[in-house]
Structures are given as structure tokens and as C-alpha cells.
Amino acid sequence: MDFSVVIVAAGASTRAGPGAPKPWRVLGGRPILRWSVEAFVAAGAREVVVVTAADRFSEAEEVLAGLPRWRAVAGGAQRADSVQAGLKALAGPLDEPVLVHDAARPLVTPAHVAAVLAALSGTDGAILALPVADTLKRGAAMIEATVPRDGLWRAQTPQAFRRQALLDAYARWPGDAEPTDDAAIMERAGGRVALVPGDPLLMKLTYPEDFAMAERLAGAARVTCIGQGVDAHRWGPGDAVWLCGVRIDHDQTLIGHSDADAGLHALTDAILGAIGDGDIGEHFPPTDPQWKGASSDRFLTHAVDRVAAAGGRLLNVDVTLVCERPRIRPHRDAMRQRLADLLGLPLARVSVKATTTEGMGFTGRQEGLLAQAIATVELPA
């Protein structure tokens, strides 16, 4: 099912204590806003609109770098204004399902998305919600009454609607009070909104103490996967060789359909392997003439884009080149820097090493060069 998403991230976060507004703070090593956008991209969203303050657009570009199918629009003074701005900015059909989500709930997963979309069939809206388990009291300093909790629910996001239906419901809102969620808008307009079992992990970050709890939960929301890649090419006539994106003058070259950069080929396979997405030959068949002589950095950046599309994050890479010649050490720093630039990683998370086989085997006889690579990727659980 095609769907789009509006993520509300324009609030001032006054209850969250000192520091930047919540979407721009860091949770588990990543900005809070990125958690949600990654999850919706991984769930297959056709479009994600991030509604934030206009002076945060450049920051959004930075924290969401590498993620596809999103864009930022300016929000309004109130949450309802921001939601409507996001709805109007969407480019899809008016009857397409749209999910409205608060950036302050970063631990959303594709499973949450699937649940509300499934429940939207045959109703006007669907929300994730948790039954109230605690005894409820009304009062200030002293208890005034105990409130029955039967039939009471704690609403969560994402909440799902048809875009035109939600726009129409907003148009009918009387404006006598500020709605706290979009289900209230649909209810007031007479719509039927389904309750879908929510998730305690999908907590909302509101107060300073919430962030410490979320840090403990963040580890359970992600898994670390490791991929391995191996590539080899034979030597042939030439005057230079490409290795890990760096051109090295040499009395031979590596023979291949593309530029035969064995280091980049092995690393591409390692990244694709970490996300279970086949190998370089499936994405760039050597029988396809368009890849004849192609620069292998195109293959590597494609693999990085696939990680982002899966809601993942590349953590580190390690490449080993096995050859007698050329000498790798004089070029190693340039290789590491080139890989860091292509992958968007800090230099400290990029390793390039070299070894020989002491004259043994095809690399020892200088018939060819072998490259091995390992990549570590963090993915949604």
C-alpha cells in the first residue's frame, strides 16, 4: 500500500529541559529526528514531509543526509498548524493514506506502520494506543477524586488517515481549543477512529528524565549486522591501477568489466551482504554494457544508499588488500580518506590494510590481486 508521512518536529520542547529542541538531540548516537525518518523509509513510505522551523532546514539536511524520499517544510505556531502545512505539502493522491507522527516518539518501527495501515481499511482513522493500567486520581496537592480507568487509552503516534479526509476534518475544527492529536480532529468531525494495540517502547520524550529511559531502550530497537566481501582480478597490460578509489601508477593494471577496483568491489559486496541485499553482480551485471569501464565508486555509493533505504546506518569498514605489488602503504592514507568521503564516515571508522602471501598462490606469483572487506551496519530490529 502506498502511503506518505508527516513528521511534526517544529515544537520548542519547553518541558524537555535545557538544550536543543527534542528532534535535534542525540539518542543512541543519532539525532532523534533521524530515528523516525529511517523507520518510515524502511517501511516503504512514498514520501516523508518533515515539518520544522524554517531556520532548521539546513540542520535537517545535515542530520538526515543520505536518506531518500524526504523533504522539509516550515511549520506553524501550533501543532495543528504544522500538521496542516505538512498535509498540504504532500504530492501524492488526496485519497492516499497519510501517517502523522510526532518526532518525539523516535522508537517507531515498520511493524507499527503496518499495524495502523492495516486498521485504516474500512474506517476513517487508526491510532496506536495503550490501555491505561494505573489508577487515575484527579486533584492538585490533594486527591479530589479517583477516576475510573475502564475504557481509557493512551494515544500514540503514528496515526493513520486518508489525506483529504483529515484536511476536511481540520477545516471543520471550531478552533475553540488546541487539539493534542489528529484523532481528536477526526472524532470531532464525526469520523470513526480505530484503536490499534500500541507499544510501551514507543514512548514520547517529554521530560528530561525520559531521555535516560530512551537511551536504555534504544539498544533494543536496533541490531548490528556484519557483511563480508571478497573480490579478485588478474593483472594485465597497463600503466596504472585503481584501488579503494585511488589511482596508483603501476606497470600493470587489473582487468575487469568496470575499472576493476577490487577494493571497492569487495567493500560493496560487504555492505550489501550486511543488509542481505545480494551482491554487486546482481545490482551491476558484468554483462550489461553500461558498466563497461565504469568507476566503481558508483557501485559503492549505491550500496550506501541501499543501507539508508533499509533504515540502516553504516558504522565502520575494514579493507585488506592482498598483493606483492604495488606497495600499498604509501597510498593507504589517501585510500582511507577517499573511502571516508564516499561512505560519509569519520576517518577513524575506515581501515585499509595490506599483506602479501610470501610468494605463495596467485597473488604471490603476481598473477592477480585479492581484496577482502568487512562492513558493520546498524539496522532496525
Side-chain angles (χ1 to χ4, degrees):
M1 177 188 297
D2 286 337
F3 70 96
S4 53
V5 181
V6 172
I7 299 179
V8 185
S13 306
T14 56
R15 294 178 292 177
K22 291 178 288 189
W24 315 104
R25 301 188 190 187
V26 173
L27 173 67
R30 303 201 316 284
I32 285 172
L33 176 61
R34 188 175 180 99
W35 282 80
S36 294
V37 177
E38 284 181 350
F40 289 117
V41 168
R46 184 189 55 77
E47 180 182 12
V48 179
V49 168
V50 175
V51 188
T52 187
D55 60 2
R56 294 277 182 180
F57 281 11
S58 60
E59 190 169 359
E61 291 282 352
E62 181 180 345
V63 304
L64 300 177
L67 296 178
R69 304 192 300 279
W70 73 273
R71 60 194 178 96
V73 300
Q78 304 293 336
R79 183 186 185 279
D81 301 321
S82 293
V83 172
Q84 291 178 84
L87 292 172
K88 293 173 183 176
L90 292 170
L94 287 172
D95 62 347
E96 182 179 72
V98 58
L99 274 59
V100 182
H101 183 66
D102 292 324
R105 295 186 188 272
L107 300 183
V108 61
T109 69
H112 298 138
V113 173
V116 290
L117 286 175
L120 185 60
S121 177
T123 189
D124 301 301
I127 73 168
L128 294 167
L130 295 170
V132 173
D134 298 323
T135 298
L136 299 178
K137 304 290 184 181
R138 179 185 293 117
M142 302 292 290
I143 295 174
E144 297 174 5
T146 299
V147 181
R149 66 191 178 197
D150 295 343
L152 294 182
W153 296 77
R154 295 161 47 203
Q156 299 181 308
T157 65
Q159 300 184 353
F161 311 89
R162 300 285 174 177
R163 180 158 70 109
Q164 185 64 67
L166 186 55
L167 283 168
D168 292 345
Y170 263 106
R172 296 172 60 183
W173 183 259
D176 54 356
E178 175 66 19
T180 57
D181 76 346
D182 304 283
I185 298 290
M186 186 60 70
E187 297 161 34
R188 185 68 174 262
R192 298 167 58 250
V193 180
L195 293 166
V196 179
D199 184 351
L201 296 181
L202 192 54
M203 62 182 295
K204 185 177 182 181
L205 304 180
T206 303
Y207 302 106
E209 56 268 25
D210 295 337
F211 292 84
M213 177 66 73
E215 281 289 348
R216 300 182 68 177
L217 296 174
R222 310 286 288 184
V223 296
T224 300
C225 299
I226 298 173
Q228 181 182 26
V230 178
D231 191 51
H233 287 275
R234 60 185 175 86
W235 290 112
D239 59 4
V241 60
W242 284 92
L243 290 173
C244 293
V246 174
R247 186 183 188 274
I248 301 173
D249 291 335
H250 191 48
D251 58 4
Q252 289 181 299
T253 192
L254 292 175
I255 305 301
H257 185 64
S258 62
D259 62 7
D261 189 326
L264 293 191
H265 293 181
L267 185 52
T268 299
D269 265 354
I271 294 172
L272 292 172
I275 61 173
D277 196 14
D279 60 33
I280 192 172
E282 294 178 45
H283 292 261
F284 303 97
T287 54
D288 191 333
Q290 69 172 310
W291 307 123
K292 179 67 175 176
S295 175
S296 295
D297 56 8
R298 298 173 62 183
F299 308 154
L300 186 64
T301 54
H302 170 79
V304 174
D305 290 343
R306 298 291 290 182
V307 171
R313 180 171 68 113
L314 187 63
L315 299 180
N316 80 297
V317 299
D318 183 16
V319 179
T320 300
L321 301 173
V322 183
C323 60
E324 300 292 329
R325 293 188 311 127
R327 292 186 66 241
I328 301 302
R329 183 179 293 275
H331 309 282
R332 185 174 61 186
D333 290 344
M335 292 178 181
R336 292 180 65 215
Q337 188 60 61
R338 179 57 177 158
L339 291 181
D341 293 342
L342 289 171
L343 300 171
L345 285 176
L347 189 61
R349 296 187 184 179
V350 177
S351 171
V352 175
K353 309 189 302 293
T355 189
T356 72
T357 56
E358 302 292 341
M360 298 179 291
F362 74 90
T363 59
R365 294 189 297 270
Q366 300 187 45
E367 296 170 358
L369 179 145
L370 175 73
Q372 297 177 316
I374 293 175
T376 308
V377 173
E378 186 183 65
L379 292 168

